[in-house]
Amino acid sequence: MKLTCIGTDPAALYLGILLKRRDPLHAVRFIEDPYATSHEPTSLICNPLKPRFKLADAEVQIDVDQVLAAIDKVAVNTENRKFETAGLRHATIDPGTLNRVLRARAEQLGCAFEERHTIADLDAFGDADVIVAADGVHSRARALAKGFAPQLDRSSNRFVAFQSSQPADTLTTMFRTTPHGIFHAMVMPRGTDGSSIIVETPAEVLRVSGLDRAPGECIIAYGAKLFGLTLDRMLASSEGVWSTFAMVRNATWHAGKVVLLGRAAYTSHFSVGLDIRSQLEDAEVLAQYLSTNTSVTEALNAFETARRPKADSLQRAAAASLNWFEHVRRYAQKPFEQFVFSLLTSSMRITHARIDKAAPDLTRTVDSLVAGDTQGSNRPLPPMFAPIRLRDLQVPNRVVVSPMCQYSAMDGTVNDWHLVHLGSRAVGGAGLVIAEMTDVLPEGRISLHCAGMYSPEHVPAWKRVTDFVHHNSNSKIAVQLAHAGRKG
């Protein structure tokens, strides 16, 4: 097989290594842009959900283990409070170091490397059986084939990354409130080489502070003073000093004989990381399918079917975490312990139970804050069963029944079916029951049997349901008002 990789993303280098291991006769060539610069900050490669990192290639595993920085402690601090706990294992890796390690192994196995600045079309690689687009977030190789439809969702935050000789053995997130707004920093160990620091803030805060126009030495001095850290070197990107994280998505990962790999295929916000890990695992699966006797098209189809759900799951977690950091001012006013708990669970993957195992005092305090005066027998009620106030509405617990279309109404009028359907959920103890999509116009219905709220006869029918809920439970009931739009 002849395989050409445009770009040297770690996943592509690992793919080349795996193919050469399987058959030294495979011809693997890497095309590099001599003018391309990449200064990626240190990345998380393990977290409490995936604390162990294992590759299929034992020799590469040994190489990578030597440049991993393992962490068992996590800390969060603000201007006047600090939280720290062990038991939440992470590991970090420097992408540049990983790239050098994998490249050395690829060269040793006979992979070829050549420099080429411009790539016009696929004709330049007509002899390749497979072309791998692995030239990063702003991939030019994606344009070689139609159908990828790349989407780069840019964060409303801006960040700058630093290298520091200051050692660190704890994954630390720091928050500082300034007259302009909140800045936060992630301090990630880099093993014996010190640490990496990523400073991030909303774009508006950056603009008001004037740091978006400040020279590099001023930014280093400001960051060092604000967070009390040693900042030796700034990692500038192609965007300049301050960068914008882009969540990369593609409609498909392969078109013809071109396949996306690494950051050209997808990315994950650095607060979650794991994208390098996931992409190395992608390379293992792709190598496996390319080594079968199936056609290239079948192999690429099977690869995407196997790995796409993993990437989508990772990006959902990363999007949730990114959203938390973009709106950190919403959480900054909470009591410190609740703020910390909110941060640790911001990806919606680290659960209450896992935090409770590592930091029981933290969860007990948070449970007490959430429960308020409603206490259990021995300890505070779990947050799920604690009441919550929404303006003037007191909901007895945090179990919510989401709206479910029943398609059982007659001319928009709800009936016994809805009484039983919604009433039983309320009697079952849900704190809030939301009635199905209820249309405000007859032509706004999806079907002739959708519920409505547009005729006088609808009012007593709905009142019958709501009266039952109020008289027979402590639940609250809401309605999802809607219009089906053009499909109505």
mmCIF file of all heavy atoms in Angstrom, residues 325-372:
data_model
loop_
_atom_site.group_PDB
_atom_site.id
_atom_site.type_symbol
_atom_site.label_atom_id
_atom_site.label_comp_id
_atom_site.label_asym_id
_atom_site.label_seq_id
_atom_site.Cartn_x
_atom_site.Cartn_y
_atom_site.Cartn_z
ATOM 1 N N PHE A 325 -16.563 27.631 31.076
ATOM 2 C CA PHE A 325 -15.509 28.649 31.155
ATOM 3 C C PHE A 325 -15.904 29.931 30.432
ATOM 4 O O PHE A 325 -15.479 31.020 30.820
ATOM 5 C CB PHE A 325 -14.201 28.089 30.579
ATOM 6 C CG PHE A 325 -13.456 27.201 31.535
ATOM 7 C CD1 PHE A 325 -13.536 25.828 31.433
ATOM 8 C CD2 PHE A 325 -12.702 27.744 32.561
ATOM 9 C CE1 PHE A 325 -12.864 25.004 32.314
ATOM 10 C CE2 PHE A 325 -12.023 26.932 33.461
ATOM 11 C CZ PHE A 325 -12.104 25.556 33.339
ATOM 12 N N GLU A 326 -16.695 29.824 29.389
ATOM 13 C CA GLU A 326 -17.149 31.037 28.698
ATOM 14 C C GLU A 326 -18.099 31.853 29.575
ATOM 15 O O GLU A 326 -18.217 33.070 29.393
ATOM 16 C CB GLU A 326 -17.846 30.651 27.393
ATOM 17 C CG GLU A 326 -16.896 30.175 26.305
ATOM 18 C CD GLU A 326 -17.615 29.752 25.049
ATOM 19 O OE1 GLU A 326 -18.789 29.322 25.149
ATOM 20 O OE2 GLU A 326 -17.021 29.853 23.959
ATOM 21 N N HIS A 327 -18.782 31.204 30.503
ATOM 22 C CA HIS A 327 -19.754 31.881 31.361
ATOM 23 C C HIS A 327 -19.364 31.773 32.832
ATOM 24 O O HIS A 327 -20.227 31.696 33.703
ATOM 25 C CB HIS A 327 -21.152 31.287 31.134
ATOM 26 C CG HIS A 327 -21.637 31.428 29.728
ATOM 27 N ND1 HIS A 327 -21.438 30.463 28.768
ATOM 28 C CD2 HIS A 327 -22.289 32.445 29.105
ATOM 29 C CE1 HIS A 327 -21.951 30.880 27.616
ATOM 30 N NE2 HIS A 327 -22.479 32.068 27.795
ATOM 31 N N VAL A 328 -18.067 31.785 33.092
ATOM 32 C CA VAL A 328 -17.587 31.578 34.461
ATOM 33 C C VAL A 328 -18.124 32.632 35.422
ATOM 34 O O VAL A 328 -18.303 32.367 36.612
ATOM 35 C CB VAL A 328 -16.044 31.534 34.481
ATOM 36 C CG1 VAL A 328 -15.447 32.886 34.101
ATOM 37 C CG2 VAL A 328 -15.524 31.081 35.839
ATOM 38 N N ARG A 329 -18.421 33.821 34.930
ATOM 39 C CA ARG A 329 -18.941 34.875 35.813
ATOM 40 C C ARG A 329 -20.272 34.467 36.446
ATOM 41 O O ARG A 329 -20.641 34.959 37.509
ATOM 42 C CB ARG A 329 -19.102 36.183 35.042
ATOM 43 C CG ARG A 329 -20.132 36.128 33.926
ATOM 44 C CD ARG A 329 -20.127 37.399 33.088
ATOM 45 N NE ARG A 329 -21.154 37.362 32.052
ATOM 46 C CZ ARG A 329 -20.997 36.756 30.881
ATOM 47 N NH1 ARG A 329 -19.850 36.137 30.615
ATOM 48 N NH2 ARG A 329 -21.979 36.762 29.990
ATOM 49 N N ARG A 330 -21.018 33.554 35.785
ATOM 50 C CA ARG A 330 -22.287 33.090 36.355
ATOM 51 C C ARG A 330 -22.058 32.269 37.615
ATOM 52 O O ARG A 330 -22.906 32.234 38.509
ATOM 53 C CB ARG A 330 -23.038 32.225 35.331
ATOM 54 C CG ARG A 330 -23.529 32.971 34.114
ATOM 55 C CD ARG A 330 -24.204 32.024 33.140
ATOM 56 N NE ARG A 330 -25.233 31.225 33.787
ATOM 57 C CZ ARG A 330 -25.800 30.163 33.214
ATOM 58 N NH1 ARG A 330 -25.421 29.776 32.031
ATOM 59 N NH2 ARG A 330 -26.743 29.489 33.854
ATOM 60 N N TYR A 331 -20.925 31.576 37.666
ATOM 61 C CA TYR A 331 -20.661 30.660 38.778
ATOM 62 C C TYR A 331 -19.790 31.297 39.852
ATOM 63 O O TYR A 331 -19.715 30.796 40.973
ATOM 64 C CB TYR A 331 -19.977 29.393 38.257
ATOM 65 C CG TYR A 331 -20.699 28.777 37.090
ATOM 66 C CD1 TYR A 331 -20.252 28.968 35.775
ATOM 67 C CD2 TYR A 331 -21.857 28.028 37.277
ATOM 68 C CE1 TYR A 331 -20.926 28.428 34.704
ATOM 69 C CE2 TYR A 331 -22.537 27.480 36.206
ATOM 70 C CZ TYR A 331 -22.067 27.686 34.917
ATOM 71 O OH TYR A 331 -22.747 27.149 33.859
ATOM 72 N N ALA A 332 -19.138 32.393 39.502
ATOM 73 C CA ALA A 332 -18.170 32.995 40.425
ATOM 74 C C ALA A 332 -18.823 33.523 41.697
ATOM 75 O O ALA A 332 -18.156 33.681 42.724
ATOM 76 C CB ALA A 332 -17.410 34.123 39.716
ATOM 77 N N GLN A 333 -20.123 33.826 41.658
ATOM 78 C CA GLN A 333 -20.807 34.365 42.824
ATOM 79 C C GLN A 333 -21.290 33.277 43.786
ATOM 80 O O GLN A 333 -21.791 33.582 44.868
ATOM 81 C CB GLN A 333 -22.015 35.204 42.372
ATOM 82 C CG GLN A 333 -21.667 36.312 41.395
ATOM 83 C CD GLN A 333 -20.597 37.247 41.928
ATOM 84 O OE1 GLN A 333 -20.628 37.645 43.095
ATOM 85 N NE2 GLN A 333 -19.638 37.587 41.077
ATOM 86 N N LYS A 334 -21.137 32.023 43.394
ATOM 87 C CA LYS A 334 -21.575 30.933 44.258
ATOM 88 C C LYS A 334 -20.617 30.773 45.438
ATOM 89 O O LYS A 334 -19.465 31.221 45.382
ATOM 90 C CB LYS A 334 -21.622 29.621 43.468
ATOM 91 C CG LYS A 334 -22.685 29.574 42.393
ATOM 92 C CD LYS A 334 -22.673 28.226 41.695
ATOM 93 C CE LYS A 334 -23.743 28.160 40.608
ATOM 94 N NZ LYS A 334 -25.092 28.149 41.184
ATOM 95 N N PRO A 335 -21.071 30.135 46.535
ATOM 96 C CA PRO A 335 -20.142 29.805 47.613
ATOM 97 C C PRO A 335 -18.962 29.017 47.050
ATOM 98 O O PRO A 335 -19.112 28.247 46.093
ATOM 99 C CB PRO A 335 -20.995 28.944 48.556
ATOM 100 C CG PRO A 335 -22.403 29.379 48.296
ATOM 101 C CD PRO A 335 -22.461 29.718 46.840
ATOM 102 N N PHE A 336 -17.792 29.176 47.641
ATOM 103 C CA PHE A 336 -16.557 28.618 47.082
ATOM 104 C C PHE A 336 -16.674 27.126 46.807
ATOM 105 O O PHE A 336 -16.291 26.640 45.731
ATOM 106 C CB PHE A 336 -15.389 28.898 48.033
ATOM 107 C CG PHE A 336 -14.086 28.320 47.555
ATOM 108 C CD1 PHE A 336 -13.404 28.889 46.501
ATOM 109 C CD2 PHE A 336 -13.546 27.183 48.160
ATOM 110 C CE1 PHE A 336 -12.205 28.347 46.038
ATOM 111 C CE2 PHE A 336 -12.351 26.642 47.717
ATOM 112 C CZ PHE A 336 -11.681 27.226 46.656
ATOM 113 N N GLU A 337 -17.195 26.362 47.772
ATOM 114 C CA GLU A 337 -17.270 24.914 47.596
ATOM 115 C C GLU A 337 -18.186 24.539 46.420
ATOM 116 O O GLU A 337 -17.891 23.611 45.656
ATOM 117 C CB GLU A 337 -17.768 24.236 48.874
ATOM 118 C CG GLU A 337 -16.797 24.272 50.031
ATOM 119 C CD GLU A 337 -16.820 25.607 50.783
ATOM 120 O OE1 GLU A 337 -17.677 26.465 50.445
ATOM 121 O OE2 GLU A 337 -15.994 25.791 51.690
ATOM 122 N N GLN A 338 -19.267 25.274 46.261
ATOM 123 C CA GLN A 338 -20.178 24.993 45.154
ATOM 124 C C GLN A 338 -19.541 25.379 43.816
ATOM 125 O O GLN A 338 -19.730 24.699 42.802
ATOM 126 C CB GLN A 338 -21.492 25.745 45.354
ATOM 127 C CG GLN A 338 -22.639 25.218 44.515
ATOM 128 C CD GLN A 338 -23.973 25.811 44.933
ATOM 129 O OE1 GLN A 338 -24.053 26.551 45.908
ATOM 130 N NE2 GLN A 338 -25.019 25.482 44.205
ATOM 131 N N PHE A 339 -18.777 26.451 43.832
ATOM 132 C CA PHE A 339 -18.039 26.877 42.641
ATOM 133 C C PHE A 339 -17.042 25.794 42.222
ATOM 134 O O PHE A 339 -16.948 25.438 41.040
ATOM 135 C CB PHE A 339 -17.320 28.190 42.941
ATOM 136 C CG PHE A 339 -16.407 28.670 41.840
ATOM 137 C CD1 PHE A 339 -16.927 29.229 40.679
ATOM 138 C CD2 PHE A 339 -15.028 28.566 41.972
ATOM 139 C CE1 PHE A 339 -16.088 29.675 39.670
ATOM 140 C CE2 PHE A 339 -14.188 29.007 40.966
ATOM 141 C CZ PHE A 339 -14.716 29.561 39.818
ATOM 142 N N VAL A 340 -16.300 25.258 43.190
ATOM 143 C CA VAL A 340 -15.320 24.205 42.909
ATOM 144 C C VAL A 340 -16.010 22.961 42.351
ATOM 145 O O VAL A 340 -15.574 22.380 41.351
ATOM 146 C CB VAL A 340 -14.515 23.848 44.175
ATOM 147 C CG1 VAL A 340 -13.662 22.605 43.949
ATOM 148 C CG2 VAL A 340 -13.638 25.022 44.592
ATOM 149 N N PHE A 341 -17.094 22.555 42.989
ATOM 150 C CA PHE A 341 -17.820 21.366 42.543
ATOM 151 C C PHE A 341 -18.346 21.559 41.126
ATOM 152 O O PHE A 341 -18.287 20.649 40.289
ATOM 153 C CB PHE A 341 -18.976 21.076 43.504
ATOM 154 C CG PHE A 341 -19.665 19.766 43.243
ATOM 155 C CD1 PHE A 341 -19.237 18.610 43.864
ATOM 156 C CD2 PHE A 341 -20.736 19.695 42.373
ATOM 157 C CE1 PHE A 341 -19.860 17.399 43.607
ATOM 158 C CE2 PHE A 341 -21.373 18.498 42.122
ATOM 159 C CZ PHE A 341 -20.932 17.346 42.742
ATOM 160 N N SER A 342 -18.847 22.752 40.847
ATOM 161 C CA SER A 342 -19.356 23.062 39.516
ATOM 162 C C SER A 342 -18.250 22.942 38.469
ATOM 163 O O SER A 342 -18.458 22.400 37.379
ATOM 164 C CB SER A 342 -19.946 24.471 39.514
ATOM 165 O OG SER A 342 -20.403 24.837 38.244
ATOM 166 N N LEU A 343 -17.052 23.432 38.809
ATOM 167 C CA LEU A 343 -15.911 23.332 37.890
ATOM 168 C C LEU A 343 -15.525 21.879 37.652
ATOM 169 O O LEU A 343 -15.332 21.451 36.514
ATOM 170 C CB LEU A 343 -14.727 24.115 38.454
ATOM 171 C CG LEU A 343 -13.379 23.869 37.771
ATOM 172 C CD1 LEU A 343 -13.423 24.304 36.311
ATOM 173 C CD2 LEU A 343 -12.259 24.587 38.516
ATOM 174 N N LEU A 344 -15.397 21.107 38.722
ATOM 175 C CA LEU A 344 -14.933 19.725 38.593
ATOM 176 C C LEU A 344 -15.896 18.864 37.784
ATOM 177 O O LEU A 344 -15.492 17.872 37.173
ATOM 178 C CB LEU A 344 -14.727 19.106 39.982
ATOM 179 C CG LEU A 344 -13.622 19.728 40.847
ATOM 180 C CD1 LEU A 344 -13.556 19.043 42.198
ATOM 181 C CD2 LEU A 344 -12.265 19.647 40.144
ATOM 182 N N THR A 345 -17.167 19.235 37.773
ATOM 183 C CA THR A 345 -18.169 18.449 37.039
ATOM 184 C C THR A 345 -18.620 19.150 35.756
ATOM 185 O O THR A 345 -19.613 18.751 35.157
ATOM 186 C CB THR A 345 -19.401 18.186 37.930
ATOM 187 O OG1 THR A 345 -19.953 19.437 38.357
ATOM 188 C CG2 THR A 345 -19.028 17.374 39.154
ATOM 189 N N SER A 346 -17.883 20.158 35.322
ATOM 190 C CA SER A 346 -18.343 20.993 34.201
ATOM 191 C C SER A 346 -18.418 20.235 32.881
ATOM 192 O O SER A 346 -19.169 20.631 31.989
ATOM 193 C CB SER A 346 -17.423 22.214 34.038
ATOM 194 O OG SER A 346 -16.084 21.807 33.799
ATOM 195 N N SER A 347 -17.668 19.159 32.723
ATOM 196 C CA SER A 347 -17.733 18.386 31.477
ATOM 197 C C SER A 347 -18.935 17.461 31.441
ATOM 198 O O SER A 347 -19.207 16.825 30.427
ATOM 199 C CB SER A 347 -16.460 17.555 31.299
ATOM 200 O OG SER A 347 -16.409 16.514 32.273
ATOM 201 N N MET A 348 -19.657 17.359 32.574
ATOM 202 C CA MET A 348 -20.815 16.475 32.706
ATOM 203 C C MET A 348 -20.423 15.005 32.568
ATOM 204 O O MET A 348 -21.246 14.156 32.229
ATOM 205 C CB MET A 348 -21.913 16.844 31.705
ATOM 206 C CG MET A 348 -22.381 18.284 31.841
ATOM 207 S SD MET A 348 -23.668 18.758 30.671
ATOM 208 C CE MET A 348 -25.056 17.876 31.362
ATOM 209 N N ARG A 349 -19.161 14.696 32.842
ATOM 210 C CA ARG A 349 -18.683 13.315 32.828
ATOM 211 C C ARG A 349 -18.204 12.883 34.214
ATOM 212 O O ARG A 349 -18.340 11.726 34.586
ATOM 213 C CB ARG A 349 -17.543 13.144 31.812
ATOM 214 C CG ARG A 349 -17.939 13.369 30.374
ATOM 215 C CD ARG A 349 -18.948 12.351 29.880
ATOM 216 N NE ARG A 349 -19.167 12.437 28.445
ATOM 217 C CZ ARG A 349 -20.065 13.204 27.859
ATOM 218 N NH1 ARG A 349 -20.849 13.980 28.608
ATOM 219 N NH2 ARG A 349 -20.212 13.222 26.542
ATOM 220 N N ILE A 350 -17.628 13.802 34.969
ATOM 221 C CA ILE A 350 -17.195 13.510 36.334
ATOM 222 C C ILE A 350 -18.419 13.675 37.231
ATOM 223 O O ILE A 350 -19.016 14.747 37.285
ATOM 224 C CB ILE A 350 -16.067 14.460 36.787
ATOM 225 C CG1 ILE A 350 -14.923 14.444 35.769
ATOM 226 C CG2 ILE A 350 -15.565 14.062 38.161
ATOM 227 C CD1 ILE A 350 -14.242 13.120 35.607
ATOM 228 N N THR A 351 -18.800 12.628 37.942
ATOM 229 C CA THR A 351 -20.070 12.613 38.655
ATOM 230 C C THR A 351 -19.919 12.979 40.127
ATOM 231 O O THR A 351 -18.818 13.026 40.680
ATOM 232 C CB THR A 351 -20.694 11.215 38.571
ATOM 233 O OG1 THR A 351 -19.816 10.277 39.238
ATOM 234 C CG2 THR A 351 -20.890 10.783 37.130
ATOM 235 N N HIS A 352 -21.065 13.202 40.755
ATOM 236 C CA HIS A 352 -21.137 13.454 42.199
ATOM 237 C C HIS A 352 -20.476 12.307 42.959
ATOM 238 O O HIS A 352 -19.700 12.527 43.900
ATOM 239 C CB HIS A 352 -22.610 13.593 42.594
ATOM 240 C CG HIS A 352 -22.851 13.870 44.039
ATOM 241 N ND1 HIS A 352 -22.828 12.877 45.001
ATOM 242 C CD2 HIS A 352 -23.136 15.030 44.700
ATOM 243 C CE1 HIS A 352 -23.087 13.404 46.189
ATOM 244 N NE2 HIS A 352 -23.276 14.717 46.027
ATOM 245 N N ALA A 353 -20.749 11.074 42.561
ATOM 246 C CA ALA A 353 -20.196 9.916 43.266
ATOM 247 C C ALA A 353 -18.676 9.879 43.176
ATOM 248 O O ALA A 353 -17.991 9.542 44.152
ATOM 249 C CB ALA A 353 -20.792 8.624 42.695
ATOM 250 N N ARG A 354 -18.121 10.231 42.006
ATOM 251 C CA ARG A 354 -16.663 10.197 41.857
ATOM 252 C C ARG A 354 -15.999 11.305 42.685
ATOM 253 O O ARG A 354 -14.954 11.094 43.290
ATOM 254 C CB ARG A 354 -16.289 10.345 40.374
ATOM 255 C CG ARG A 354 -14.832 10.046 40.084
ATOM 256 C CD ARG A 354 -14.590 10.010 38.596
ATOM 257 N NE ARG A 354 -15.220 8.862 37.973
ATOM 258 C CZ ARG A 354 -14.655 7.661 37.879
ATOM 259 N NH1 ARG A 354 -13.446 7.456 38.378
ATOM 260 N NH2 ARG A 354 -15.281 6.675 37.276
ATOM 261 N N ILE A 355 -16.605 12.488 42.706
ATOM 262 C CA ILE A 355 -16.066 13.560 43.536
ATOM 263 C C ILE A 355 -16.182 13.184 45.012
ATOM 264 O O ILE A 355 -15.276 13.440 45.806
ATOM 265 C CB ILE A 355 -16.802 14.891 43.263
ATOM 266 C CG1 ILE A 355 -16.672 15.290 41.792
ATOM 267 C CG2 ILE A 355 -16.252 16.003 44.162
ATOM 268 C CD1 ILE A 355 -15.275 15.554 41.330
ATOM 269 N N ASP A 356 -17.292 12.563 45.378
ATOM 270 C CA ASP A 356 -17.505 12.172 46.774
ATOM 271 C C ASP A 356 -16.435 11.192 47.234
ATOM 272 O O ASP A 356 -15.985 11.226 48.387
ATOM 273 C CB ASP A 356 -18.893 11.549 46.932
ATOM 274 C CG ASP A 356 -19.262 11.305 48.383
ATOM 275 O OD1 ASP A 356 -19.003 12.190 49.231
ATOM 276 O OD2 ASP A 356 -19.803 10.222 48.688
ATOM 277 N N LYS A 357 -15.998 10.320 46.344
ATOM 278 C CA LYS A 357 -14.956 9.349 46.704
ATOM 279 C C LYS A 357 -13.618 10.035 46.937
ATOM 280 O O LYS A 357 -12.868 9.671 47.853
ATOM 281 C CB LYS A 357 -14.824 8.309 45.586
ATOM 282 C CG LYS A 357 -13.848 7.183 45.902
ATOM 283 C CD LYS A 357 -13.839 6.154 44.779
ATOM 284 C CE LYS A 357 -12.845 5.023 45.096
ATOM 285 N NZ LYS A 357 -12.814 4.015 43.996
ATOM 286 N N ALA A 358 -13.307 11.043 46.124
ATOM 287 C CA ALA A 358 -12.024 11.733 46.251
ATOM 288 C C ALA A 358 -12.051 12.832 47.309
ATOM 289 O O ALA A 358 -11.057 13.057 48.002
ATOM 290 C CB ALA A 358 -11.623 12.335 44.904
ATOM 291 N N ALA A 359 -13.176 13.521 47.428
ATOM 292 C CA ALA A 359 -13.259 14.678 48.339
ATOM 293 C C ALA A 359 -14.605 14.681 49.042
ATOM 294 O O ALA A 359 -15.477 15.515 48.743
ATOM 295 C CB ALA A 359 -13.044 15.968 47.551
ATOM 296 N N PRO A 360 -14.827 13.755 49.996
ATOM 297 C CA PRO A 360 -16.143 13.663 50.660
ATOM 298 C C PRO A 360 -16.545 14.923 51.406
ATOM 299 O O PRO A 360 -17.732 15.254 51.466
ATOM 300 C CB PRO A 360 -15.971 12.474 51.609
ATOM 301 C CG PRO A 360 -14.494 12.287 51.769
ATOM 302 C CD PRO A 360 -13.890 12.735 50.486
ATOM 303 N N ASP A 361 -15.578 15.636 51.966
ATOM 304 C CA ASP A 361 -15.921 16.870 52.689
ATOM 305 C C ASP A 361 -16.503 17.916 51.742
ATOM 306 O O ASP A 361 -17.407 18.671 52.117
ATOM 307 C CB ASP A 361 -14.685 17.440 53.386
ATOM 308 C CG ASP A 361 -14.250 16.579 54.564
ATOM 309 O OD1 ASP A 361 -15.059 15.753 55.018
ATOM 310 O OD2 ASP A 361 -13.098 16.727 55.014
ATOM 311 N N LEU A 362 -15.975 17.960 50.517
ATOM 312 C CA LEU A 362 -16.478 18.913 49.537
ATOM 313 C C LEU A 362 -17.922 18.595 49.177
ATOM 314 O O LEU A 362 -18.787 19.486 49.196
ATOM 315 C CB LEU A 362 -15.606 18.885 48.277
ATOM 316 C CG LEU A 362 -16.097 19.768 47.118
ATOM 317 C CD1 LEU A 362 -15.994 21.237 47.477
ATOM 318 C CD2 LEU A 362 -15.311 19.468 45.836
ATOM 319 N N THR A 363 -18.211 17.339 48.850
ATOM 320 C CA THR A 363 -19.575 16.997 48.453
ATOM 321 C C THR A 363 -20.552 17.176 49.608
ATOM 322 O O THR A 363 -21.694 17.588 49.405
ATOM 323 C CB THR A 363 -19.656 15.551 47.930
ATOM 324 O OG1 THR A 363 -19.133 14.657 48.918
ATOM 325 C CG2 THR A 363 -18.879 15.390 46.650
ATOM 326 N N ARG A 364 -20.110 16.897 50.835
ATOM 327 C CA ARG A 364 -21.008 17.060 51.987
ATOM 328 C C ARG A 364 -21.365 18.534 52.168
ATOM 329 O O ARG A 364 -22.512 18.877 52.453
ATOM 330 C CB ARG A 364 -20.345 16.488 53.243
ATOM 331 C CG ARG A 364 -21.318 16.223 54.389
ATOM 332 C CD ARG A 364 -20.733 15.270 55.411
ATOM 333 N NE ARG A 364 -20.651 13.909 54.893
ATOM 334 C CZ ARG A 364 -19.514 13.239 54.734
ATOM 335 N NH1 ARG A 364 -18.369 13.786 55.038
ATOM 336 N NH2 ARG A 364 -19.533 12.010 54.268
ATOM 337 N N THR A 365 -20.376 19.407 51.994
ATOM 338 C CA THR A 365 -20.637 20.834 52.112
ATOM 339 C C THR A 365 -21.577 21.315 51.015
ATOM 340 O O THR A 365 -22.512 22.084 51.256
ATOM 341 C CB THR A 365 -19.320 21.634 52.053
ATOM 342 O OG1 THR A 365 -18.456 21.209 53.109
ATOM 343 C CG2 THR A 365 -19.577 23.124 52.184
ATOM 344 N N VAL A 366 -21.330 20.848 49.784
ATOM 345 C CA VAL A 366 -22.179 21.242 48.655
ATOM 346 C C VAL A 366 -23.595 20.726 48.849
ATOM 347 O O VAL A 366 -24.578 21.446 48.608
ATOM 348 C CB VAL A 366 -21.580 20.734 47.331
ATOM 349 C CG1 VAL A 366 -22.561 20.946 46.173
ATOM 350 C CG2 VAL A 366 -20.266 21.448 47.032
ATOM 351 N N ASP A 367 -23.727 19.487 49.306
ATOM 352 C CA ASP A 367 -25.059 18.935 49.551
ATOM 353 C C ASP A 367 -25.820 19.783 50.571
ATOM 354 O O ASP A 367 -27.027 20.023 50.426
ATOM 355 C CB ASP A 367 -24.955 17.496 50.051
ATOM 356 C CG ASP A 367 -24.520 16.525 48.960
ATOM 357 O OD1 ASP A 367 -24.411 16.964 47.797
ATOM 358 O OD2 ASP A 367 -24.295 15.337 49.269
ATOM 359 N N SER A 368 -25.114 20.236 51.600
ATOM 360 C CA SER A 368 -25.756 21.066 52.627
ATOM 361 C C SER A 368 -26.189 22.408 52.048
ATOM 362 O O SER A 368 -27.275 22.908 52.365
ATOM 363 C CB SER A 368 -24.798 21.290 53.801
ATOM 364 O OG SER A 368 -24.493 20.076 54.448
ATOM 365 N N LEU A 369 -25.337 22.993 51.186
ATOM 366 C CA LEU A 369 -25.676 24.270 50.567
ATOM 367 C C LEU A 369 -26.905 24.137 49.673
ATOM 368 O O LEU A 369 -27.794 24.998 49.673
ATOM 369 C CB LEU A 369 -24.487 24.777 49.744
ATOM 370 C CG LEU A 369 -23.279 25.299 50.524
ATOM 371 C CD1 LEU A 369 -22.083 25.481 49.593
ATOM 372 C CD2 LEU A 369 -23.620 26.611 51.214
ATOM 373 N N VAL A 370 -26.961 23.039 48.924
ATOM 374 C CA VAL A 370 -28.080 22.843 48.002
ATOM 375 C C VAL A 370 -29.358 22.515 48.760
ATOM 376 O O VAL A 370 -30.444 23.007 48.437
ATOM 377 C CB VAL A 370 -27.735 21.717 46.999
ATOM 378 C CG1 VAL A 370 -28.955 21.358 46.162
ATOM 379 C CG2 VAL A 370 -26.589 22.148 46.092
ATOM 380 N N ALA A 371 -29.242 21.677 49.795
ATOM 381 C CA ALA A 371 -30.424 21.252 50.544
ATOM 382 C C ALA A 371 -31.027 22.381 51.366
ATOM 383 O O ALA A 371 -32.238 22.410 51.612
ATOM 384 C CB ALA A 371 -30.064 20.084 51.455
ATOM 385 N N GLY A 372 -30.193 23.310 51.820
ATOM 386 C CA GLY A 372 -30.696 24.399 52.649
ATOM 387 C C GLY A 372 -31.246 23.867 53.961
ATOM 388 O O GLY A 372 -30.583 23.102 54.669
#
